C-alpha cells in the first residue's frame, strides 16, 4: 500500500529524475497559463488592487516545472500593474508538496523569483499534504495546482481492508470486478476532493481564485480502468512472467483516481464554496511532439512518477519494468495509443463564492 512518505517523484537532476522526465506535466502547465493570467486580472480589477498578495502552488514537485505556475502569476501581476500604472503589491509565493519532495532543488531555484528594482517577492515552502490545512484563514489570493489532485489521500479502505485487488491479472475477473473497484476509487476521490475544497475555502480571501489541472477521463464510463492502467498492465505482465510475486501484485494499490469532467462539476457544485469560471478538456498527449512519444520516452515518464511506490512494494524491479514495457509497445505500437485513448487533462478555474 502506498503511504504519504512514498509518494514523491524521482529526485535530483539525473537521467531517471522527474526533473528530466516531466514533459507531459510541462505541456499541461502551458495550457494553464491563460487561465492563471485571467484569474490575476480578476483579482486585480474586481476590487481595489491589494497591497499584498499571496500565491501558492500545491503539489509543486521539483525540477523546472516547480516554479512554472507561480512565475506566470508573478509576471501577470507585474504586467497588469505596468499596463494600468498601478503600484505593484508585495508578493509572497509558497510552494507546497509532501515532506519527502526534493525541496533542496526547489529552494535553490526560488531565488529566480526575486527581481531587481521591483517590490518585494518573498518565497517559501509549505511541506505537507494538501488534504490538510496549510495556511491561515483568509490569507491566500491564488492557488494553483497542476497534475497533482488525482493523487488520493489513501487507497480505498473497502479494497485494502477486504484484500480485494485493485487490478486482477485474470482478464475475466478484472472485467467482473471493475465496476466495484472503480466505484471504491471514485468514492475516495469524492471524499478527498470535497475536503480539499473545504480547506481551500477557509484559506482563500473573499473572491480568491484557484486554477487547477487534473489527469482524468473523457467520460463517466468505466474505461480506462485507472489512470495508472498503463502501469498496472505492465506489472501484471511481470507477475505473469514471474518477475514479481503474484500475491504482492494483488496487494498493490496506487492512491490515484482519474475523474471525469462530470465528476468534478458535481463535487464542486455540491460542496458549494466555489463557482466554476472556465473548464477545459484536452487529450492526454495533445500538444506533445509525436516524435517524442516513443515507448522508451513513455516508460521513463512513468518511471519518474511511480518508481518510489513500485520499489517500496516490489523491490528494485524498475529496470525490468522498463524493459518489458518497451518490448510490449515495440511489438505493437498501437497499444501505446490505445492505453492513453480514454485519458484527458482537465483544467479549470474557480472563484470562491
Amino acid at each position: 500500500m502506498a503511504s504519504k512518505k512514498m509518494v514523491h517523484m524521482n529526485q535530483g537532476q539525473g537521467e531517471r529524475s522527474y526533473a528530466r522526465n516531466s514533459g507531459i506535466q510541462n505541456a499541461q502547465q502551458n495550457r494553464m497559463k491563460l487561465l492563471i493570467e485571467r484569474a490575476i486580472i480578476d483579482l486585480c480589477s474586481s476590487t481595489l488592487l491589494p497591497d499584498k498578495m499571496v500565491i501558492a502552488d500545491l503539489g509543486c514537485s521539483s525540477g523546472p516545472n516547480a516554479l512554472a505556475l507561480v512565475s506566470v502569476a508573478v509576471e501577470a501581476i507585474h504586467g497588469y500593474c505596468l499596463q494600468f500604472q498601478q503600484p505593484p503589491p508585495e508578493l509572497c509565493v509558497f510552494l507546497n508538496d509532501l515532506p519527502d519532495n526534493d525541496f533542496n532543488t526547489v529552494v535553490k531555484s526560488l531565488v529566480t523569483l526575486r527581481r531587481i528594482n521591483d517590490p518585494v517577492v518573498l518565497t517559501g515552502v509549505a511541506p505537507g499534504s494538501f488534504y490538510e490545512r496549510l495556511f491561515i484563514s483568509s490569507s491566500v489570493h491564488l492557488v494553483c495546482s497542476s497534475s497533482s489532485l488525482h493523487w488520493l489521500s489513501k487507497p480505498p479502505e473497502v479494497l485494502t481492508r477486504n484484500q480485494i485487488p485493485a487490478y486482477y491479472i485474470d482478464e475475466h475477473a478484472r472485467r467482473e470486478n471493475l465496476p466495484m473497484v472503480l466505484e471504491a476509487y471514485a468514492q475516495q476521490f469524492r471524499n478527498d476532493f470535497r475536503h480539499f475544497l473545504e480547506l481551500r475555502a477557509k484559506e482563500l480571501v473573499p473572491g480568491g481564485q484557484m486554477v487547477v489541472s487534473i489527469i482524468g477521463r473523457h467520460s463517466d464510463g468505466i474505461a480506462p480502468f485507472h489512470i495508472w492502467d498503463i502501469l498496472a498492465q505492465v506489472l501484471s505482465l511481470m507477475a505473469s512472467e514471474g518477475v514479481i510475486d503474484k500475491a504482492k501484485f494483488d496487494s498493490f494499490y496506487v492512491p490515484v483516481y482519474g475523474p471525469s469532467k462530470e465528476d468534478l462539476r458535481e463535487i464542486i457544485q455540491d460542496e458549494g464554496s466555489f463557482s466554476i469560471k472556465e473548464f477545459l478538456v484536452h487529450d492526454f498527449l495533445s500538444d506533445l511532439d509525436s516524435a517524442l512519444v516513443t515507448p522508451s520516452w513513455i516508460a521513463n515518464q512513468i518511471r519518474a512518477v511511480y518508481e518510489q511506490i513500485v520499489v517500496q512494494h516490489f523491490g528494485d524491479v524498475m529496470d525490468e519494468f522498463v524493459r518489458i514495457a518497451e518490448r510490449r509497445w515495440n511489438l505493437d505500437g498501437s497499444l501505446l495509443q490505445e492505453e492513453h485513448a480514454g485519458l484527458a487533462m482537465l483544467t479549470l478555474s474557480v472563484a470562491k463564492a
Side-chain angles (χ1 to χ4, degrees):
M1 185 187 305
S3 69
K4 289 180 184 178
K5 185 175 179 62
M6 291 152 49
V7 180
H8 64 84
M9 310 300 103
N10 277 356
Q11 300 183 353
Q13 302 289 325
E15 184 179 336
R16 300 170 182 171
S17 67
Y18 179 81
R20 294 181 61 178
N21 293 280
S22 51
I24 295 172
Q25 293 85 349
N26 177 256
Q28 179 57 13
Q29 288 182 331
N30 290 336
R31 298 188 194 105
M32 297 173 68
K33 181 178 178 180
L34 185 59
L35 271 64
I36 292 173
E37 291 171 342
R38 288 173 179 166
I40 291 297
I41 291 172
D42 284 352
L43 284 167
C44 292
S45 61
S46 59
T47 59
L48 289 175
L49 181 67
D51 58 1
K52 301 177 183 67
M53 293 182 72
V54 176
I55 301 163
D57 183 340
L58 307 188
C60 67
S61 194
S62 59
N65 292 345
L67 294 184
L69 301 182
V70 293
S71 296
V72 169
V74 170
E75 291 299 325
I77 292 168
H78 283 283
Y80 178 91
C81 293
L82 283 173
Q83 181 180 355
F84 294 99
Q85 298 182 334
Q86 297 286 326
E90 295 182 351
L91 301 178
C92 186
V93 173
F94 286 105
L95 299 179
N96 154 266
D97 214 310
L98 291 172
D100 276 357
N101 183 52
D102 187 7
F103 279 113
N104 285 334
T105 302
V106 172
V107 169
K108 290 175 183 177
S109 63
L110 279 173
V111 68
T112 62
L113 285 177
R114 297 177 178 271
R115 299 156 56 103
I116 299 173
N117 298 326
D118 275 337
V120 175
V121 179
L122 296 178
T123 58
V125 296
S129 168
F130 48 54
Y131 295 122
E132 301 168 353
R133 280 291 299 270
L134 294 168
F135 309 106
I136 61 175
S137 300
S138 300
S139 63
V140 181
H141 294 78
L142 175 67
V143 167
C144 302
S145 181
S146 175
S147 303
S148 297
L149 283 166
H150 56 282
W151 287 97
L152 305 173
S153 63
K154 59 185 178 181
E157 284 188 7
V158 68
L159 301 183
T160 58
R161 184 176 60 248
N162 296 301
Q163 298 182 337
I164 299 171
Y167 194 98
Y168 287 80
I169 295 175
D170 179 75
E171 185 174 352
H172 175 74
R174 183 164 66 245
R175 291 182 180 277
E176 188 175 77
N177 289 277
L178 179 55
M180 174 194 64
V181 174
L182 184 58
E183 175 53 32
Y185 270 87
Q187 185 58 52
Q188 184 65 51
F189 178 82
R190 284 191 288 268
N191 294 341
D192 283 345
F193 190 58
R194 181 185 179 92
H195 186 52
F196 174 87
L197 294 174
E198 292 169 348
L199 295 172
R200 303 295 83 81
K202 293 176 182 177
E203 295 167 347
L204 283 162
V205 300
Q209 313 230 358
M210 290 199 298
V211 179
V212 303
S213 74
I214 304 177
I215 303 173
R217 312 192 313 278
H218 275 291
S219 71
D220 274 333
I222 62 173
F225 173 63
H226 296 298
I227 62 171
W228 54 276
D229 190 62
I230 192 169
L231 171 72
Q233 289 192 26
V234 176
L235 289 173
S236 70
L237 277 178
M238 294 171 68
S240 298
E241 296 178 8
V243 178
I244 58 177
D245 183 73
K246 289 185 179 181
K248 279 198 168 186
F249 179 78
D250 286 343
S251 63
F252 183 58
Y253 303 92
V254 179
V256 163
Y257 175 76
S260 67
K261 181 178 181 179
E262 291 77 15
D263 287 333
L264 293 180
R265 189 180 297 278
E266 180 180 329
I267 298 167
I268 292 168
Q269 291 175 345
D270 182 64
E271 193 277 331
S273 297
F274 295 90
S275 58
I276 299 173
K277 297 169 56 189
E278 294 187 70
F279 208 138
L280 308 176
V281 180
H282 299 276
D283 288 339
F284 184 64
L285 296 179
S286 64
D287 298 339
L288 288 171
D289 184 350
S290 58
L292 276 179
V293 185
T294 63
S296 175
W297 187 83
I298 289 290
N300 284 319
Q301 299 279 311
I302 295 170
R303 182 175 195 158
V305 173
Y306 292 112
E307 180 161 14
Q308 301 307 313
I309 290 176
V310 171
V311 168
Q312 282 281 341
H313 194 78
F314 297 106
D316 190 10
V317 298
M318 287 307 292
D319 285 343
E320 191 67 8
F321 173 91
V322 170
R323 186 188 68 79
I324 291 176
E326 290 184 10
R327 182 192 69 193
R328 170 182 168 82
W329 299 326
N330 280 320
L331 286 173
D332 187 350
S334 65
L335 283 174
L336 197 54
Q337 296 301 322
E338 289 172 7
E339 290 167 2
H340 287 92
L343 296 180
M345 299 300 290
L346 311 178
T347 308
L348 66 155
S349 62
V350 300
K352 183 176 173 181

